Each structure stands twice: as structure tokens, then as C-alpha cells.
């Protein structure tokens, strides 16, 4: 069995005001995607399948405003959270502490960490170029 480690690089550069706005908008849209997908899952409008969710919501305003693979990763995290919650309801003895159902992001500050895989960014010397959606 191969276990893949998640790796995270935290970079704290001095951003320009424009870069701060772009990153803030990406994180805000990611939070809105979380809320939209969660709403549809709770109301039974979507199956708990990332590809089904993405194919039905890819034209949503907030989904279109983040990189497609980042949106799929975010949707996968939400589906995984719901699956873990359902498993907890069936088998609470397998968990050392209660598992809460995935909630909504605060409407006023709906920022969520956005994750890029290797398809969404390039390292160019000392710069990182993030891929963002064109509308």
C-alpha cells in the first residue's frame, strides 16, 4: 500500500496590493464554492461524487472564478468530510471523538484555503505563477 503525503509550502512574501486583492478574491470564491456545493449536497440536488458535482456546477459564477482543478480538490474535501460524517453515524465506536457534519463558511468572511496541484502553478526562477480562470 502506498501512502501519499500531503505537502504544503507556506510562503510569506511581501505582496503588492493587486496581488493581495487577487489572492483574497481566489480565497473568497473558494469559500463560496464550499457553501454552494454544501447547500446542494444537503438538499439532495447532487450526488456525493466530485466529477458529478463539478460537471453540474462548473458554470456557477464562483466555480468559474477559481482554477478548475482547485475547485475539484475543494469539492473532494467536502465530499470526504460528508463521507467521514456518515461513517461516524454508522460506526461511532471507530472514532475517538465525535465527527461534526461539514458546515457552511461565514457569509461575511467566506474565505477558504485554496489548494493548487501541479497543474495550477509554475515556478519561474524566484516567482510563482498561479493559474486563474479566464471569464
Amino acid at each position: 500500500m502506498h501512502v501519499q503525503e500531503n505537502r504544503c509550502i507556506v510562503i510569506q512574501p511581501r505582496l503588492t496590493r493587486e496581488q493581495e486583492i487577487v489572492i483574497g478574491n481566489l480565497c473568497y470564491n473558494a469559500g463560496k464554492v464550499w457553501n454552494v456545493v454544501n447547500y446542494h449536497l444537503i438538499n439532495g440536488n447532487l450526488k456525493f461524487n466530485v466529477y458529478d458535482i463539478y460537471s453540474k456546477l462548473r458554470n456557477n459564477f464562483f466555480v468559474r472564478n477559481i482554477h478548475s482543478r482547485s475547485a475539484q480538490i475543494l469539492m473532494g474535501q467536502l465530499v470526504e468530510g460528508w463521507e467521514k460524517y456518515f461513517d461516524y453515524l454508522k460506526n461511532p465506536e471507530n472514532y475517538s471523538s465525535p465527527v461534526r457534519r461539514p458546515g457552511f463558511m461565514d457569509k461575511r468572511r467566506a474565505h477558504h484555503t485554496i489548494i493548487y496541484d501541479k497543474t495550477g502553478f509554475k515556478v519561474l526562477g524566484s516567482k510563482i505563477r498561479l493559474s486563474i480562470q479566464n471569464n
Side-chain angles (χ1 to χ4, degrees), residues 1 4-5 16 19-21 25 28 33-34 41 45-46 61 63 65 75 78 80 89-90 97 108 121 133:
M1 181 169 100
Q4 183 179 353
E5 282 186 22
T16 66
Q19 292 168 332
E20 287 177 356
I21 291 169
N25 282 331
Y28 178 78
V33 169
W34 180 276
L41 290 173
N45 301 335
L46 297 171
F61 175 80
V63 175
N65 283 314
M75 293 169 183
L78 188 55
E80 185 179 319
L89 293 177
K90 290 179 187 174
S97 60
R108 292 165 292 176
F121 72 94
Q133 293 300 100

Side-chain angles (χ1 to χ4, degrees):
M1 181 169 100
H2 176 71
V3 178
Q4 183 179 353
E5 282 186 22
N6 289 333
R7 296 180 187 251
C8 180
I9 299 173
V10 177
I11 302 170
Q12 296 179 335
R14 294 182 192 266
L15 300 176
T16 66
R17 181 71 180 135
E18 180 183 20
Q19 292 168 332
E20 287 177 356
I21 291 169
V22 170
I23 290 174
N25 282 331
L26 289 172
C27 294
Y28 178 78
N29 283 306
K32 289 296 192 176
V33 169
W34 180 276
N35 286 347
V36 167
V37 173
N38 204 13
Y39 173 82
H40 285 293
L41 290 173
I42 288 170
N43 289 309
N45 301 335
L46 297 171
K47 297 176 186 172
F48 287 85
N49 177 298
V50 174
Y51 302 106
D52 179 59
I53 294 169
Y54 184 75
S55 69
K56 290 183 178 167
L57 294 179
R58 71 174 172 237
N59 291 324
N60 176 279
F61 175 80
F62 298 110
V63 175
R64 283 190 356 242
N65 283 314
I66 61 175
H67 187 264
S68 58
R69 186 65 188 121
S70 296
Q72 292 169 356
I73 291 169
L74 182 66
M75 293 169 183
Q77 290 175 330
L78 188 55
V79 168
E80 185 179 319
W82 276 105
E83 288 172 348
K84 190 172 184 178
Y85 174 71
F86 292 142
D87 185 54
Y88 169 75
L89 293 177
K90 290 179 187 174
N91 307 302
E93 66 279 356
N94 293 344
Y95 295 86
S96 59
S97 60
V99 175
R100 295 182 353 202
R101 71 181 226 168
F104 291 97
M105 304 293 295
D106 183 345
K107 283 194 268 188
R108 292 165 292 176
R109 293 174 293 154
H111 287 74
H112 192 282
T113 302
I114 191 161
I115 299 172
Y116 277 85
D117 68 357
K118 63 184 175 183
T119 64
F121 72 94
K122 287 188 178 182
V123 177
L124 304 169
S126 63
K127 296 181 180 182
I128 297 175
R129 188 182 81 192
L130 297 177
S131 193
I132 56 176
Q133 293 300 100
N134 292 330
N135 291 327

